[in-house]
Amino acid sequence: MTNNTHDTVSAHEAVYFIFGATGDLARRKLFPALYSLYREGKLGERFAIVGLARRPRTNAQFRDDVYEAIKEFCRYKPSDTESWNAFVEHFTYQSLDINNVEGFRELKVHTEELEAKYSIQGNRLFYLALAPELFGHVSRSLRDGGMLESKGWRHLVIEKPFGYDYASAEKLNQEISEVFREDEVYRIDHYLGKEMVQNIEVIRFANAFFEPLWNKNHIANIQITLAETVGVEDRGAYYNKSGALRDMVQNHLMQMLTMVAMEPPSRLDAEDIRDEKVKVLRSIRKMNSREEVVSNVIRGQYAPGSMKGKELKGYRDEDSVDSASSTETFFAATLYVDNFRWAGVPFYVRTGKRLPVKSTEIVIEFKNVPNNVLFANKQNVLPNLLVIRVNPMEGIYIKLNAKKPGNDMSIQTVATEYCQSCLIGINTPEAYERLIFDAARGDHTYFTRWDELAVAWKLVDPIAAAWKEDSSDLQFYAAGSWGPDKVEQMLAEDGYHWWPVNGQDEDNVIWISNTGK
Ligand SMILES: NC(=O)C1=CN([C@@H]2O[C@H](COP(=O)(O)OP(=O)(O)OC[C@H]3O[C@@H](n4cnc5c(N)ncnc54)[C@H](OP(=O)(O)O)[C@@H]3O)[C@@H](O)[C@H]2O)C=CC1
Ligand SMILES: O=C1O[C@H](COP(=O)(O)O)[C@@H](O)[C@H](O)[C@H]1O
């Protein structure tokens, strides 16, 4: 946590401004997250939520929208009328174009009324669920409209994507930093709000038997998979400019890699943790030429295919996608972290849309024992694995070798699993709940600092530039498959293979698990 972290008890006593309150993110994620926080007592009663967007809405209409959103997307369903009304009366709506400074002056008057009504001491959280090109405008209008003149704190929460490349991200950051200090800015990467991503620190730093092995001497390779079954849905216009590299790799994938690879921070403090993460990003080997990109990265695009018997169209046939698009919907790469701990250890990463399962997993494959007498007997000794299941199933398992009961030395793989989702059910806090809560209490730990973002862009920019030169390396894969064939080869060349994800499993494994399997 940063030094300016607020007391958790009073942190939620604030006015929350949702810019983009009529949009998809507000509906699917933000209103449900706020309701869950409320139901769990984390918002208290001294708070107000102001929805802002251009289209006209009365307070009553807005509250109806919030109701529908929560009914559809929240892990808690709206309670009885009395309790529901007690919650929703905290919501008001103002029609506002972010370019209209006069509208911000009206907002200031409205805000002061709300602060008086709920005894809020001037704490203001501005959540920008808007297109990134509007971030700079909003920041200026907030300042010019007098919205930053309050005696409490002001926190700016910004959605991804933060820029399109390093140059645009830097410009955006410059615009924001004319108005807000870095410690007032909370850049969302919702993967950092996921339970199991945060759990990486505990798994690593609270278990005596992992940390001594967590290095090149004992780890053969690390595999990170972010597989999605969905296609681009109705986001073709955005996605076609972004592709998997900017949509998933520059942010979510890099963030997970840094959590796995970072040095233990000396304190569990936001700045110490983020310092360690930046060091990892700086150590990732850059690809400086098209040749290096082509030999280390595979990009793919889904072609027509099928999943669970359903025919699926190819990416180029999706709405708002151009029919000759070379945008990648799949990315796989071998990355190296060139530092003492990880020298020579391949980090195999892959992400894609229209893959057979929805699953985010991190696999740590340990090296085989140095002198395995059992190998001589052609025994099937598999490497030990630690698997962190991030999404949608949450949990961890380790795979070990044990003797099969009997007279010979046959070997049996045993997997011991902690399935968190099986224990807690699907009602675990959503990433957005944690992140809104942390942003209110001033904890930056799970938000990306500017220097992290800058280095991440500098890593992916050369890849994008190499791809722009020529698209001959783009591979097609059938929707519903595991991506281009070359992806298996990428590991096979190093003598490895991708471990199955999402509970797909090999024969001959005994599970000891709280799933009951
Ligand atoms: N949707 C999602 O799941 C995710 C979204 N994001 C990011 O969140 C942000 C918002 O996304 P999303 O909700 O999907 O986008 P939408 O297009 O659904 O919503 C955009 C919102 O911005 C408002 N808006 C647009 N122009 C103005 C303006 N000039 N003044 C005031 N309000 C304006 C719109 O309302 P109106 O037209 O009424 O003005 C609308 O409420 C984007 O940066 C996106 O990349 C990130 C991760 C996931
Ligand atoms: O940020 C994004 O993430 C989602 C995947 O998130 P998850 O929590 O469902 O794993 C992805 O579908 C989307 O394209 C991307 O913008």
Side-chain angles (χ1 to χ4, degrees), residues 405-416:
N407 291 341
D408 61 8
M409 286 298 278
S410 297
I411 300 237
Q412 169 75 62
T413 304
V414 180
T416 61

PDB file of all heavy atoms in Angstrom, residues 405-416:
ATOM      1  N   PRO A 405       1.298 -48.873  -5.979  1.00  0.00           N
ATOM      2  CA  PRO A 405       1.370 -50.015  -5.052  1.00  0.00           C
ATOM      3  C   PRO A 405       1.622 -51.312  -5.825  1.00  0.00           C
ATOM      4  O   PRO A 405       1.028 -51.516  -6.886  1.00  0.00           O
ATOM      5  CB  PRO A 405      -0.009 -50.031  -4.387  1.00  0.00           C
ATOM      6  CG  PRO A 405      -0.588 -48.670  -4.640  1.00  0.00           C
ATOM      7  CD  PRO A 405       0.021 -48.169  -5.905  1.00  0.00           C
ATOM      8  N   GLY A 406       2.504 -52.148  -5.359  1.00  0.00           N
ATOM      9  CA  GLY A 406       2.780 -53.417  -6.049  1.00  0.00           C
ATOM     10  C   GLY A 406       4.228 -53.808  -5.893  1.00  0.00           C
ATOM     11  O   GLY A 406       4.998 -53.130  -5.193  1.00  0.00           O
ATOM     12  N   ASN A 407       4.618 -54.844  -6.591  1.00  0.00           N
ATOM     13  CA  ASN A 407       5.955 -55.390  -6.399  1.00  0.00           C
ATOM     14  C   ASN A 407       7.031 -54.711  -7.204  1.00  0.00           C
ATOM     15  O   ASN A 407       8.205 -54.824  -6.927  1.00  0.00           O
ATOM     16  CB  ASN A 407       5.971 -56.886  -6.753  1.00  0.00           C
ATOM     17  CG  ASN A 407       5.180 -57.673  -5.739  1.00  0.00           C
ATOM     18  OD1 ASN A 407       4.944 -57.173  -4.638  1.00  0.00           O
ATOM     19  ND2 ASN A 407       4.752 -58.868  -6.111  1.00  0.00           N
ATOM     20  N   ASP A 408       6.648 -54.010  -8.273  1.00  0.00           N
ATOM     21  CA  ASP A 408       7.704 -53.361  -9.057  1.00  0.00           C
ATOM     22  C   ASP A 408       7.752 -51.872  -8.738  1.00  0.00           C
ATOM     23  O   ASP A 408       7.037 -51.373  -7.866  1.00  0.00           O
ATOM     24  CB  ASP A 408       7.496 -53.615 -10.550  1.00  0.00           C
ATOM     25  CG  ASP A 408       6.176 -53.060 -11.023  1.00  0.00           C
ATOM     26  OD1 ASP A 408       5.521 -52.359 -10.223  1.00  0.00           O
ATOM     27  OD2 ASP A 408       5.800 -53.314 -12.183  1.00  0.00           O
ATOM     28  N   MET A 409       8.616 -51.165  -9.463  1.00  0.00           N
ATOM     29  CA  MET A 409       8.788 -49.739  -9.182  1.00  0.00           C
ATOM     30  C   MET A 409       8.033 -48.890 -10.194  1.00  0.00           C
ATOM     31  O   MET A 409       8.553 -47.908 -10.695  1.00  0.00           O
ATOM     32  CB  MET A 409      10.287 -49.397  -9.200  1.00  0.00           C
ATOM     33  CG  MET A 409      11.017 -49.893  -7.986  1.00  0.00           C
ATOM     34  SD  MET A 409      10.393 -49.136  -6.462  1.00  0.00           S
ATOM     35  CE  MET A 409      11.279 -47.609  -6.496  1.00  0.00           C
ATOM     36  N   SER A 410       6.819 -49.306 -10.520  1.00  0.00           N
ATOM     37  CA  SER A 410       6.037 -48.500 -11.459  1.00  0.00           C
ATOM     38  C   SER A 410       5.693 -47.172 -10.820  1.00  0.00           C
ATOM     39  O   SER A 410       5.477 -47.074  -9.609  1.00  0.00           O
ATOM     40  CB  SER A 410       4.730 -49.201 -11.806  1.00  0.00           C
ATOM     41  OG  SER A 410       5.023 -50.392 -12.447  1.00  0.00           O
ATOM     42  N   ILE A 411       5.597 -46.182 -11.712  1.00  0.00           N
ATOM     43  CA  ILE A 411       5.395 -44.819 -11.214  1.00  0.00           C
ATOM     44  C   ILE A 411       4.009 -44.318 -11.575  1.00  0.00           C
ATOM     45  O   ILE A 411       3.500 -44.606 -12.656  1.00  0.00           O
ATOM     46  CB  ILE A 411       6.464 -43.899 -11.829  1.00  0.00           C
ATOM     47  CG1 ILE A 411       7.817 -44.423 -11.410  1.00  0.00           C
ATOM     48  CG2 ILE A 411       6.213 -42.450 -11.429  1.00  0.00           C
ATOM     49  CD1 ILE A 411       8.684 -43.529 -10.709  1.00  0.00           C
ATOM     50  N   GLN A 412       3.490 -43.572 -10.667  1.00  0.00           N
ATOM     51  CA  GLN A 412       2.143 -43.039 -10.827  1.00  0.00           C
ATOM     52  C   GLN A 412       2.202 -41.517 -10.651  1.00  0.00           C
ATOM     53  O   GLN A 412       2.850 -41.027  -9.750  1.00  0.00           O
ATOM     54  CB  GLN A 412       1.294 -43.653  -9.691  1.00  0.00           C
ATOM     55  CG  GLN A 412      -0.060 -43.076  -9.493  1.00  0.00           C
ATOM     56  CD  GLN A 412      -1.003 -43.554 -10.570  1.00  0.00           C
ATOM     57  OE1 GLN A 412      -1.255 -44.748 -10.680  1.00  0.00           O
ATOM     58  NE2 GLN A 412      -1.468 -42.627 -11.380  1.00  0.00           N
ATOM     59  N   THR A 413       1.530 -40.762 -11.539  1.00  0.00           N
ATOM     60  CA  THR A 413       1.465 -39.313 -11.320  1.00  0.00           C
ATOM     61  C   THR A 413       0.306 -39.016 -10.377  1.00  0.00           C
ATOM     62  O   THR A 413      -0.808 -39.504 -10.580  1.00  0.00           O
ATOM     63  CB  THR A 413       1.229 -38.559 -12.643  1.00  0.00           C
ATOM     64  OG1 THR A 413       2.253 -38.942 -13.536  1.00  0.00           O
ATOM     65  CG2 THR A 413       1.258 -37.057 -12.441  1.00  0.00           C
ATOM     66  N   VAL A 414       0.605 -38.214  -9.375  1.00  0.00           N
ATOM     67  CA  VAL A 414      -0.425 -37.830  -8.415  1.00  0.00           C
ATOM     68  C   VAL A 414      -0.567 -36.318  -8.471  1.00  0.00           C
ATOM     69  O   VAL A 414       0.425 -35.594  -8.405  1.00  0.00           O
ATOM     70  CB  VAL A 414      -0.014 -38.255  -6.981  1.00  0.00           C
ATOM     71  CG1 VAL A 414      -1.081 -37.849  -5.978  1.00  0.00           C
ATOM     72  CG2 VAL A 414       0.243 -39.747  -6.925  1.00  0.00           C
ATOM     73  N   ALA A 415      -1.812 -35.888  -8.627  1.00  0.00           N
ATOM     74  CA  ALA A 415      -2.037 -34.438  -8.634  1.00  0.00           C
ATOM     75  C   ALA A 415      -2.787 -34.071  -7.368  1.00  0.00           C
ATOM     76  O   ALA A 415      -3.817 -34.665  -7.061  1.00  0.00           O
ATOM     77  CB  ALA A 415      -2.859 -34.051  -9.855  1.00  0.00           C
ATOM     78  N   THR A 416      -2.245 -33.118  -6.622  1.00  0.00           N
ATOM     79  CA  THR A 416      -2.980 -32.650  -5.439  1.00  0.00           C
ATOM     80  C   THR A 416      -3.482 -31.253  -5.733  1.00  0.00           C
ATOM     81  O   THR A 416      -2.718 -30.374  -6.104  1.00  0.00           O
ATOM     82  CB  THR A 416      -2.106 -32.646  -4.176  1.00  0.00           C
ATOM     83  OG1 THR A 416      -1.036 -31.761  -4.412  1.00  0.00           O
ATOM     84  CG2 THR A 416      -1.573 -34.010  -3.855  1.00  0.00           C
TER      85      THR A 416
END
